[in-house]
Amino acid sequence: SDLEEKANNVLLGLPVDAVDWAGAVTKTLIRDVFDEQLPEFRPSMDIVPGQHTLIRVSVIPMGKTIQNTTVSLRSETIPNLLLFQMRPAVDVLSKQLRGLPVAFVERHNNYFTGVLAATAVSPEVVRKYGLTVQPVIDAGQDTDVLLQVETSRYKLWLEGYLDFGRQENNTSAKLHIGKYLDNRNEAFFEAGFVPGTVSWELEPGWGHRFTNSTTAGFKYELTHGKNTLWLRQHLSPAWDMRLEHTLDDHHNELGLRYKLHEFASLEYVVDENDHWLRLVGNL
């Protein structure tokens, strides 16, 4: 912002014919400003002398620049269909990063993540639904832009299942509607639908978060009167494990899930009698 002032201090009042030699001093001053404030860019200057002297400054990025950006939107408490509505604004912002020096984006990471959060979700929506928005920009020639959006009040998800290696009831879907009672406890209702038998599985339940990675609880299946204990373990950003134990018939089921992207996961499921691969649609 002070480039014009520095140039004025050197050039104003000089004869027009003196601009040629005074311009060298002006260029040195401008380069010093860039070295201090924008070290990731190199200025190229052209001075056109006259009573109204024109100084053209072209800014050239130095070092590695961002060539490509990949956007991911994730949530454990909001359906992906709602997150999908935020994606266009995030995509536009991520494309604006292309061509910038990697070092510049890293140095101003707090600024860019702040703009990303404000662009994706308005402050009114954040307050209304108790959202927390955690943007992460992993700058590089191939830059990853991640937006984690969660709500402290509700937990909603919808999943569709297609099982390979299982003969009966190999397609199904499940809807989860939960309300957080406090920071660790959730009361929920799950409705599962099996098209093969045109049947519903309705399960109210409760969950308690022991750590940020471990959640366990209890649910009761209304149709058949089954009581089930369950455990969910978050292993990494891409891997999750679940374990379910039915108290009535002592049936155990273990699932290991790998997240392919926002809308699809693969889960390997094992119980006492069988094992199969499940394709999960995260809606």
Side-chain angles (χ1 to χ4, degrees), residues 3-23:
L3 288 181
E4 188 169 341
E5 180 182 353
K6 289 182 179 295
N8 287 341
N9 292 337
V10 175
L11 298 177
L12 288 184
L14 289 179
V16 173
D17 293 339
V19 172
D20 287 337
W21 62 262

Side-chain angles (χ1 to χ4, degrees), residues 74 76 233-241 256-261 264-266:
R74 298 178 183 175
E76 300 293 332
Q233 180 68 42
H234 185 62
L235 304 175
S236 73
W239 290 93
D240 288 279
M241 183 192 72
L256 186 63
R257 180 178 296 195
Y258 175 74
K259 194 177 189 69
L260 298 172
H261 57 75
S265 302
L266 282 177

Side-chain angles (χ1 to χ4, degrees), residues 16-199:
V16 173
D17 293 339
V19 172
D20 287 337
W21 62 262
V25 178
T26 304
K27 290 180 179 180
T28 300
L29 290 175
I30 293 177
R31 289 194 182 97
D32 290 342
V33 172
F34 271 82
D35 290 341
E36 178 184 353
Q37 299 184 27
L38 285 175
E40 301 88 1
F41 294 87
R42 174 170 57 87
S44 176
M45 287 160 283
D46 180 30
I47 299 179
V48 181
Q51 286 185 308
H52 180 81
T53 294
L54 177 63
I55 304 176
R56 298 191 183 96
V57 180
S58 301
V59 181
I60 303 170
M62 297 172 58
K64 293 182 179 179
T65 59
I66 295 176
Q67 302 296 319
N68 187 43
T69 55
T70 301
V71 174
S72 300
L73 280 76
R74 298 178 183 175
S75 178
E76 300 293 332
T77 56
I78 299 174
N80 282 332
L81 291 177
L82 296 181
L83 286 180
F84 191 71
Q85 299 177 14
M86 305 177 188
R87 190 178 187 99
V90 178
D91 282 337
V92 170
L93 181 61
S94 70
K95 290 177 182 177
Q96 293 176 1
L97 297 175
R98 297 176 185 175
L100 291 177
V102 173
F104 176 77
V105 175
E106 289 177 337
R107 187 161 65 92
H108 295 283
N109 191 270
N110 289 338
Y111 167 78
F112 285 109
T113 53
V115 173
L116 177 62
T119 300
V121 189
S122 68
E124 293 77 13
V125 174
V126 170
R127 289 192 298 268
K128 183 177 180 180
Y129 296 103
L131 298 181
T132 57
V133 184
Q134 296 179 335
V136 176
I137 298 177
D138 185 10
Q141 288 183 299
D142 294 316
T143 293
D144 293 321
V145 178
L146 169 64
L147 194 68
Q148 188 86 26
V149 184
E150 306 292 353
T151 172
S152 58
R153 300 177 185 175
Y154 309 100
K155 186 173 185 178
L156 305 171
W157 52 260
L158 174 63
E159 294 182 341
Y161 308 119
L162 177 61
D163 297 338
F164 300 93
R166 193 181 186 191
Q167 298 302 317
E168 297 181 354
N169 300 328
N170 53 12
T171 59
S172 59
K174 181 175 287 188
L175 171 67
H176 178 104
I177 303 174
K179 175 70 171 68
Y180 284 109
L181 307 176
D182 53 37
N183 291 334
R184 293 187 176 274
N185 294 287
E186 175 202 6
F188 65 82
F189 182 82
E190 290 184 352
F193 177 68
V194 182
T197 57
V198 195
S199 60

